[in-house]
Amino acid sequence: MAKDLPYVCSACGAAHPKWSGQCDACGAWNTLVEQTALSAGPGSKKLVARGTKLALTDLSAQAEEAPRRPAGVAELDRVLGGGLVPASAILLGGDPGIGKSTLLLQAAARFARGGLRTVYVSGEESAAQIQLRARRLGLEESPVQLAAATSLRDILTTLDEDPPGLVIIDSIQTIWHDGLEAAPGSVSQLRAVAQELVSFAKRRGSALVLVGHVTKEGALAGPRVIEHLVDTVLYFEGERGHAFRLLRAVKNRFGPADEIGVFEMTGKGLAEVKNPSALFLSERGAEVPGSAVFAGIEGTRTLLCEIQALVAPAPPGQSRRSVLGWDAGRLSMLLAVLEARAGISFAGHDVYLNVAGGLRITEPAADLAVAAALLSAREGKALPGRCVFFGEISLSGGLRPVPQTENRLKEAEKLGFTAAALPRLRGRGAGSRSTLQLTELDEIAGFVAETFGETAGDSRDSSPREDGRRQES
Ligand code: TYD
Ligand code: MG
C-alpha cells in the first residue's frame, strides 16, 4: 500500500493523495475513503540481505496443466474455463438481488454431489434461511456443509482444521478481520479479509469463491478493489425486470476471459439456457421501424439479439441521447458518421437506443446493426425482419470486416434468418457456404441508398415521418 496515497476509491480502487468529493479515476461521488495500514513495515533498505535467496528458474520449466473439476453445468463450466481449479480464488460480483447466492448454492450442491467437500459460509443469511432456499431449489439432500459466520478468525480456524475442496464465502463484505479497526465492508477490511482467504486457499489447496456485491452508493467497498487478488473475476449481470442472467468472465488466469454463461431465473432457481439467441429474440414482435437484429459473438458463442432505436423530435436545443446496453460514446460517434458520411442528420431529435433483453454489448461489430436501427427509426421504415446485421463502421463511413463471420452466418441460418448485411467478404470461404442472401457493403452511404432509397435524408431538418407510418404493425 503506497504510504503517500492514503485515500482509495471504494468503487474503482484508485488511490488518491488526498480526499476529494469525486474520484477522478471513475467519476463516482463520495466514494473516497481513508485506508488504514495493517502495520508499518520496515524500510526496503533493511530488507536487503535479510531474506532467503530465491531459486530463479526459466520459462521452459513447465508446471502441469491445472486439473479441473467441472460442475456438470455447461453454462458455468464454460465460464470457468472447464471447471474449478484447486488452490485458486474466484470473485463473483454482481448487484444485490441478482441471484449470486442462488447460483452458488446450486453450484455448491452440484460439486458436493460430485464428491468435492464443499463448505458454504454465509455472512448474510442464517443457516435456516439458506436451508429454506435449498428446499425451494430441491437441494436439501446435497451434502453441502453450511455455516453462518462473519468472523474471519472463526472461519479460518474451522477451514484450516480440515481444508475442504471448495469454500464459498457469501459475501466478502460481511466478513471482518479482528486485527483491523475499520468497519466490515470498508476498503481496508475487504482487502485484508480477501488476502487472508486467498492465501489460505493457495496454501491449503482449496478452491475459493468470494461473493462481492457491487454497490453504487459507495457505503460498502466494491469488489473491484480486490480484483487483482484473485485468479478469476466473474460478474453476474441482468436486469431486474428480466429473467435472463449472464455470467461473464472478465478475468481468468485459467481460461478465456469474455466468456459468458446464460441462465434464466425461474421459480425453482437458475436454469441453464442452451440456446440464448432464441431467448433473446423471443420477445421480438412484427417488423417495426427502429428494430435490427445483430449477430454477435460473446466469448466462444454466437448470440443474436435485437437492437431497438427510437428517434423523436425534440424541443430546440434540448435533444437527448439515451442508451442502454451499449456504449454512449460509440453512439455519438455513429451519429456523427451517419451525418457526415451518409447525410442523415439526427440534430433536433431525441435518440434512444436499447439492446433488448437487458444484454450489454461491447463488440464494435454491432455498429452496423445499431446504424441500421437508427436509420430505420429516423426514416420511419422497417428493416426486412429476417435479416441480420453486423460490421464495424469506421470514422470514414467504411465498413470493416469483423471476426467469425462464418459463425455469425451459421447461427442466423439456424434461427431461420434468410438474409444478412455485412462488410464485403475478402475470401469467398465464409460466404459461399451460407444459404443466406448476403448484402456485402463497402460503406454506410451505400447501405443507406440501398435500404432507404435515394430520398433518405430528405427529412434531414424536419421531423421523422408520421407516427401512423412508424407503427405499421
Ligand atoms: P439471491 O441469490 O439472493 O441474490 P444475491 O445473492 O445476488 O443478492 O437472489 C434473490 C432473488 O432471486 C430474489 O429476488 C428472489 C429470486 N429467486 C427466484 O426468482 N427463484 C428462486 O428459486 C430463488 C431461490 C430466488
Ligand atoms: Mg446473496
Side-chain angles (χ1 to χ4, degrees):
M1 167 183 327
K3 211 177 171 189
D4 51 339
L5 297 177
Y7 292 93
V8 72
C9 170
S10 60
C12 73
H16 298 265
K18 57 181 200 298
W19 192 87
S20 83
Q22 188 182 20
C23 169
D24 26 294
C26 71
W29 287 93
N30 288 324
T31 54
L32 260 57
V33 289
E34 192 168 6
Q35 51 181 345
T36 15
L38 262 181
S39 68
S44 62
K45 261 188 195 154
K46 285 189 196 155
L47 286 174
V48 172
R50 285 220 179 159
T52 319
K53 206 167 152 225
L54 304 175
L56 301 173
T57 170
D58 61 31
L59 294 174
S60 69
Q62 282 184 2
E64 293 259 313
E65 171 91 359
R68 306 264 167 181
R69 188 118 199 173
V73 180
E75 295 299 308
L76 174 63
D77 290 335
R78 188 179 41 248
V79 176
L80 288 173
L84 276 184
V85 177
S88 73
I90 296 167
L91 171 67
L92 175 67
D95 289 327
I98 205 72
K100 299 179 295 298
S101 304
T102 307
L103 177 72
L104 288 176
L105 193 60
Q106 289 183 266
R110 286 286 193 140
F111 283 116
R113 270 196 214 136
L116 189 71
R117 196 162 83 79
T118 301
V119 172
Y120 188 110
V121 180
S122 178
E124 302 200 333
E125 293 162 290
S126 68
Q129 277 174 308
I130 299 166
Q131 284 155 351
L132 263 177
R133 174 177 299 170
R135 186 173 330 147
R136 176 174 171 185
L137 299 173
L139 302 174
E140 67 268 48
E141 304 295 334
S142 300
V144 176
Q145 295 180 301
L146 199 60
T150 55
S151 154
L152 180 68
R153 188 178 294 275
D154 295 351
I155 294 170
L156 284 176
T157 306
T158 313
L159 296 177
D160 205 54
E161 202 152 86
D162 180 12
L166 169 64
V167 185
I168 294 167
I169 305 286
D170 185 4
S171 69
I172 179 96
Q173 276 119 338
T174 54
I175 311 297
W176 59 283
H177 187 306
D178 56 19
L180 283 182
E181 284 190 12
S186 61
V187 174
S188 24
Q189 278 285 359
L190 207 67
R191 283 198 176 147
V193 169
Q195 229 147 29
E196 292 292 342
L197 286 167
V198 171
S199 85
F200 161 80
K202 303 273 161 187
R203 203 171 61 237
R204 306 301 306 266
S206 302
L208 171 73
V209 179
L210 302 172
V211 174
H213 291 298
V214 173
T215 54
K216 298 195 173 69
E217 303 74 27
L220 291 173
R224 300 204 57 180
V225 304
I226 55 167
E227 277 186 357
H228 63 286
L229 290 174
V230 297
D231 302 301
T232 301
V233 178
L234 309 178
Y235 277 92
F236 205 37
E237 308 170 343
E239 293 289 320
R240 283 292 176 87
H242 293 284
F244 323 128
R245 298 286 182 269
L246 292 189
L247 183 65
R248 191 186 290 273
V250 297
K251 159 182 170 179
N252 197 346
R253 280 189 191 142
F254 303 114
D258 292 329
E259 199 58 89
I260 63 161
V262 186
F263 296 88
E264 187 176 5
M265 184 61 99
T266 70
K268 279 186 145 287
L270 290 156
E272 286 184 84
V273 176
K274 301 275 189 208
N275 189 347
S277 299
L279 181 71
F280 283 110
L281 293 179
S282 63
E283 288 168 4
R284 214 166 135 247
E287 291 177 19
V288 285
S291 158
V293 175
F294 168 51
I297 301 281
E298 290 284 347
T300 55
R301 75 191 337 193
T302 31
L303 193 57
L304 265 52
C305 62
E306 184 192 1
I307 311 265
Q308 304 167 336
L310 177 69
V311 177
Q318 291 182 29
S319 57
R320 291 184 46 161
R321 306 284 181 252
S322 167
V323 43
L324 267 179
W326 209 51
D327 183 52
R330 194 113 193 140
L331 173 65
S332 308
M333 187 203 93
L334 265 188
L335 292 174
V337 170
L338 290 177
E339 172 150 13
R341 309 296 178 196
I344 310 279
S345 168
F346 289 82
H349 290 85
D350 288 338
V351 175
Y352 301 91
L353 189 80
N354 178 35
V355 180
L359 204 61
R360 194 167 50 80
I361 293 177
T362 50
E363 259 196 305
D367 288 354
L368 183 59
V370 171
L374 290 169
L375 290 165
S376 158
R378 179 74 176 94
E379 296 294 318
K381 188 176 166 205
L383 297 160
R386 300 277 90 197
C387 181
V388 297
F389 299 83
F390 60 88
E392 183 177 347
I393 299 176
S394 69
L395 284 179
S396 66
L399 271 145
R400 289 205 188 130
V402 294
Q404 304 201 40
T405 295
E406 190 165 357
N407 289 340
R408 295 177 205 261
L409 294 176
K410 253 197 238 154
E411 178 83 355
E413 223 169 280
K414 210 167 81 191
L415 284 149
F417 285 81
T418 55
L422 70 171
R424 185 163 298 285
L425 295 164
R426 295 287 147 85
R428 298 312 317 163
S432 59
R433 279 191 287 281
S434 176
T435 60
L436 299 181
Q437 188 195 334
L438 303 183
T439 306
E440 297 180 38
L441 301 163
D442 295 303
E443 47 191 35
I444 193 69
F447 171 73
V448 173
E450 193 161 322
T451 316
F452 302 101
E454 298 301 329
T455 55
D458 287 356
S459 54
R460 203 173 304 185
D461 293 313
S462 62
S463 58
R465 314 253 157 98
E466 297 296 297
D467 261 349
R469 270 198 67 189
R470 304 178 75 224
Q471 287 160 10
E472 280 157 351
S473 61

